[in-house]
Amino acid sequence: MNKNIVCIGAGYIGGPTMAVIAKMNPDRKVMVVDINADRIAAWNSPDFELPIYEPGLEEVVREVRGRNLFFSTDIDSAILECDIVFVGVNTPTKMFGRGAGRASDLQYWEATARNIKAISKSDKIVVEKSTLPVRTAAAMSSILNCPAMPGEASDGPRFTVLSNPEFLAEGTAINDLLKPDRVLIGGPQTPEGEAAVAEIASVYAGKDGCWVPRERILTTNVWSAELTKLAANAMLAQRVSSINAIAGLCEATGADVDEVARVMGADHRIGAKFLKAGPGFGGSCFKKDVLNLVYLCETFGLHTAAEYWYGVVKMNDHQQERIVTRLFKEMFNTLANKKIAVFGFAFKADTGDTRETPAGRVVRLLNEEHVRISITDPKALSNAKRDLADICREGLAAPAPLFVDDPYEAARDADAVLLMTDWKLYPNLDWARIFASMRKPALVFDTRNCLDDEKLRTIGFKVLNVGK
């Protein structure tokens, strides 16, 4: 009998993942639950104004919502009804006490585990979907399978805890789910654990085995699965910081970072992925996971390794400082009261996600220089307003940023355009029209190296790039 599935957490991971699981398993009931009533209401909206933007997501939700995919705030009923419980609650970086600024804050995860235990009347497979520190599954299993009284045998439901980390890239998440490079399932090396792993593997195989080929479903012990997620994100973040470190040297020497990356990437031992210079990495995972890895290394006395991984984050922060420093030097060593139009606030194209976006830090640094800032983005303006609310208050010395839907209006009377997100619409804008509306000399700083810089120079712009 196919087992019903619930995911606790209706965010960037839970919503898309469960939508695709429902699509590929039409014979299973799939539920997504969350305490945030507004978020659930958005998932259930009749006009499909979903709480997150992801290419292809709306089409999948339209296909399965109400058929075998359901969104609800009734967490307890869903736990009772389902045999497989995915846990996708938020695990932000802890900002207080021990490990502040590095360790994961696990209070929401623990509260969820205790609620699962309190509500359940039957055995369950509990699947870690959130990114968690190594050996968290052991803590979860201890909570779930702990007897009511010390020394007593537990005669209640039994819980098998697995790790099934996600490897999604925002902007391509639906395709990543439909055609994954690999699915990783980590479980206890016990008969119960092996049976639970096989059950979750059958979910990813899909109805009639039509989804993920068996050779792409990889199984490990729980600890390896937990660590792999952190390690994979740390390695990708390291590549971004590495190419940005090379970009600074390219600017100083006259080399072209795109040419350097192209030749390096042709080496099969290195490869071309994540060798694109830019404003630095962002999103919900990279910084958080690298800092978590730093904390783990420190905890186990691996201080040199901790310093190494912390350098990845330090280099990323430095890249955003360098952007503002170059603007400062190129704009006659003063930015006060000049207008800069920021094109793009999302941390990458094809998403509205602004968590840890490089644009956020750059805007704050510009605000400290009393720049008049106008921000435009096709999908992330509402999140930008929320993120920058503290510098938009009345009575502050620096002018509050403006949020503008139309990029032409955002650039009007600006001294510079700062392109921070490589949305496809930006290269196709009428840049001659933008130039005509700006103060002169007009500057474009393309931090994504996605514009035609020669064309811009012909129009009359002064052009800055990263690594050139």
Side-chain angles (χ1 to χ4, degrees), residues 8 11 121 152 185 189 222 229 307 330 372 389 447:
I8 302 174
K121 304 296 184 184
E152 291 184 3
I185 308 170
Q189 309 297 293
V222 180
K229 170 63 176 179
E307 291 175 9
E330 293 292 338
R372 294 184 295 120
T447 71

Side-chain angles (χ1 to χ4, degrees), residues 21-139:
I21 284 178
K23 173 183 173 67
M24 304 309 292
N25 293 269
D27 50 348
R28 291 180 187 266
K29 182 176 182 179
V30 180
M31 304 181 70
V32 182
V33 295
D34 200 292
I35 61 173
N36 188 324
D38 291 339
R39 180 179 295 169
I40 292 298
W43 281 112
N44 283 323
S45 63
D47 55 358
F48 289 87
E49 289 291 327
L50 304 181
I52 64 174
Y53 172 74
E54 186 68 40
L57 175 60
E58 180 182 331
E59 290 77 6
V60 176
V61 174
R62 281 183 181 273
E63 177 185 346
V64 297
R65 195 180 74 185
R67 184 194 75 185
N68 67 319
L69 177 67
F70 304 91
F71 297 93
S72 173
T73 56
D74 191 349
I75 298 173
D76 292 357
S77 294
I79 292 172
L80 283 170
E81 186 176 349
C82 294
D83 309 290
I84 300 172
V85 182
F86 284 84
V87 180
V89 298
N90 193 22
T91 54
T93 300
K94 188 180 180 185
M95 301 309 296
F96 57 89
R98 296 188 180 187
R102 299 187 183 186
S104 291
D105 186 347
L106 300 179
Q107 60 177 308
Y108 310 109
W109 157 87
E110 182 172 339
T112 299
R114 293 188 182 280
N115 189 52
I116 292 170
K117 178 179 176 62
I119 295 301
S120 296
K121 304 296 184 184
S122 60
D123 295 353
K124 311 229 180 258
I125 299 172
V126 179
V127 185
E128 297 177 339
K129 203 64 183 169
S130 306
T131 302
L132 295 164
V134 182
R135 302 197 73 85
T136 301

Side-chain angles (χ1 to χ4, degrees), residues 138-158:
M140 178 174 271
S141 183
S142 295
I143 291 171
L144 292 170
N145 292 307
C146 181
M149 295 294 292
E152 291 184 3
S154 176
D155 57 358
R158 295 295 299 171

Side-chain angles (χ1 to χ4, degrees), residues 358-415:
R361 188 158 186 270
V362 168
V363 165
R364 290 181 179 280
L365 291 171
L366 291 174
N367 182 257
E368 291 175 3
E369 296 290 339
H370 291 200
V371 173
R372 294 184 295 120
I373 303 166
S374 60
I375 301 170
T376 184
D377 188 290
K379 293 293 180 182
L381 275 190
S382 59
N383 286 340
K385 292 176 184 177
R386 178 202 63 204
D387 295 349
L388 301 173
D390 60 308
I391 62 172
C392 293
R393 293 180 288 109
E394 294 183 3
L396 299 178
L402 300 176
F403 303 92
V404 185
D405 289 315
D406 183 358
Y408 295 106
E409 185 60 32
R412 185 181 303 279
D413 297 323
D415 297 273

Side-chain angles (χ1 to χ4, degrees), residues 243-449:
I243 195 63
N244 281 335
I246 297 296
L249 191 58
C250 288
E251 293 164 14
T253 61
D256 185 320
V257 72
D258 287 342
E259 294 180 347
V260 172
R262 176 168 57 86
V263 177
M264 285 197 305
D267 187 329
H268 71 276
R269 298 169 301 173
I270 299 174
K273 297 291 182 70
F274 280 75
L275 288 181
K276 182 67 175 174
F281 55 76
S284 63
C285 291
F286 278 9
K287 184 175 182 179
K288 176 173 76 75
D289 289 356
V290 175
L291 290 173
N292 198 341
L293 195 60
V294 170
Y295 181 69
L296 285 171
C297 289
E298 291 174 339
T299 300
F300 290 103
L302 304 171
H303 299 294
T304 302
E307 291 175 9
Y308 172 81
W309 288 114
Y310 188 70
V312 172
V313 176
K314 187 176 180 180
M315 181 64 224
N316 196 60
D317 292 343
H318 175 64
Q319 185 71 352
Q320 288 133 42
E321 293 166 2
R322 282 203 327 113
I323 288 170
V324 176
T325 298
R326 289 188 71 194
L327 277 172
F328 188 84
K329 290 180 179 178
E330 293 292 338
M331 298 178 74
F332 316 115
N333 294 314
T334 178
L335 294 174
N337 294 316
K338 290 179 178 175
K339 179 179 178 181
I340 295 179
V342 178
F343 278 25
F345 196 83
F347 85 92
K348 63 185 290 189
D350 292 325
T351 180
D353 195 353
T354 60
R355 289 174 292 180
E356 297 294 344
T357 177
R361 188 158 186 270
V362 168
V363 165
R364 290 181 179 280
L365 291 171
L366 291 174
N367 182 257
E368 291 175 3
E369 296 290 339
H370 291 200
V371 173
R372 294 184 295 120
I373 303 166
S374 60
I375 301 170
T376 184
D377 188 290
K379 293 293 180 182
L381 275 190
S382 59
N383 286 340
K385 292 176 184 177
R386 178 202 63 204
D387 295 349
L388 301 173
D390 60 308
I391 62 172
C392 293
R393 293 180 288 109
E394 294 183 3
L396 299 178
L402 300 176
F403 303 92
V404 185
D405 289 315
D406 183 358
Y408 295 106
E409 185 60 32
R412 185 181 303 279
D413 297 323
D415 297 273
V417 170
L418 175 61
L419 189 148
M420 292 295 298
T421 311
D422 51 345
W423 287 100
K424 292 179 182 178
L425 70 94
Y426 293 146
N428 297 318
L429 294 175
D430 184 345
W431 285 94
R433 174 185 169 186
I434 292 173
F435 179 79
S437 74
M438 292 175 63
R439 294 211 308 170
K440 309 299 185 295
L443 172 70
V444 172
F445 192 167
D446 177 12
T447 71
R448 299 286 183 169
N449 295 347

